Amino acid sequence: MQGYIININNVKDEDLIVSILTKNNFYTTYRFYGARHSIINIGYKIDFELETNMKSSIARLKDVLQISYPWIMDSSKLYCWQRFTKLFYPHLKDVEIIEDFYFNLLDELAHKMIKQNPKRAIIESYVKLCEHEGRLHTEYECLLCEEEIENDISLVRSFLPTHKKCSYSKAFKLSQIKELFEDKSLINFNDDEVEYIWNILLQGL
Ligand SMILES: [Zn+2]
């Protein structure tokens, strides 16, 4: 089975609780300390087996193989990737039925990051996630005053649109945000603007 590691907790004697997102499931597993420890890391894609035991409610993670990314040695890409994949844990941990959308989105994103700037690729994927979950606000109404936004637009957590004057945050041109939301493109955003949007994303999916 294949999955993405989206959370790791240390428990006694360097054993780990490892949470894994697969195509249709979310597993919380137990990993005994072993020599091949380094292949367990946030964001890593792994092939693995689970061993269930009558004595324990939590499955044991075993036969772990890392499925590497072409950019795995690029520390800035890996850093961004790990920050993003980590956000899936609070977002999905209580969801009962996991759709394959999330796994497929990460697969597609890992591939896009071979050529693309990681923050740009991740933000564009995140917009797809919001759209999939039906919470991408393309009616461009302000979250705070509920009036239509006609010119300057600001985004707050979860990319919710607001007026600049209502949220006191950085303004973008409405056309830029429309292009991001509707075409999933950051082509007209400069690097500072991408950095700003990236920091909104890090507040949580
Ligand atoms: Zn407003």
Side-chain angles (χ1 to χ4, degrees), residues 2-3 21-25 98-104 107:
Q2 295 187 351
L21 172 70
T22 64
K23 248 187 188 335
N24 295 105
N25 275 299
I98 303 279
E99 295 169 88
D100 62 4
F101 171 83
Y102 300 98
F103 183 92
N104 294 340
D107 267 0

Side-chain angles (χ1 to χ4, degrees), residues 142 144-146 162-163 165-166:
C142 175
L144 298 165
C145 73
E146 298 179 5
T162 62
H163 290 113
K165 64 177 169 52
C166 293

Side-chain angles (χ1 to χ4, degrees), residues 48-143:
F48 66 100
E49 298 293 334
L50 290 178
E51 186 180 87
T52 46
N53 180 326
M54 298 291 275
K55 282 184 281 182
S56 166
S57 59
I58 181 164
R60 187 184 148 208
L61 176 62
K62 58 174 220 169
D63 298 339
V64 180
L65 288 173
Q66 186 189 349
I67 303 165
S68 193
Y69 311 115
W71 42 262
I72 196 104
M73 301 306 281
D74 182 329
S75 59
S76 66
K77 285 191 179 182
L78 183 62
Y79 176 75
C80 293
W81 173 260
Q82 290 183 314
R83 297 282 313 257
F84 182 59
T85 48
K86 215 176 163 164
L87 299 173
F88 280 71
Y89 178 70
H91 191 64
L92 295 177
K93 72 181 166 68
D94 298 319
V95 175
E96 280 187 12
I97 298 164
I98 303 279
E99 295 169 88
D100 62 4
F101 171 83
Y102 300 98
F103 183 92
N104 294 340
L105 185 83
L106 289 176
D107 267 0
E108 182 193 270
L109 175 60
H111 186 73
K112 274 169 71 180
M113 278 176 42
I114 298 171
K115 288 196 177 144
Q116 266 201 43
N117 170 282
K119 290 180 185 172
R120 288 177 183 267
I122 289 170
I123 292 166
E124 290 169 4
S125 290
Y126 174 61
V127 172
K128 285 188 191 169
L129 185 152
C130 291
E131 185 175 57
H132 178 79
E133 293 181 349
R135 53 191 182 93
L136 188 66
H137 289 258
T138 50
E139 73 285 3
Y140 308 106
E141 255 179 34
C142 175
L143 167 76

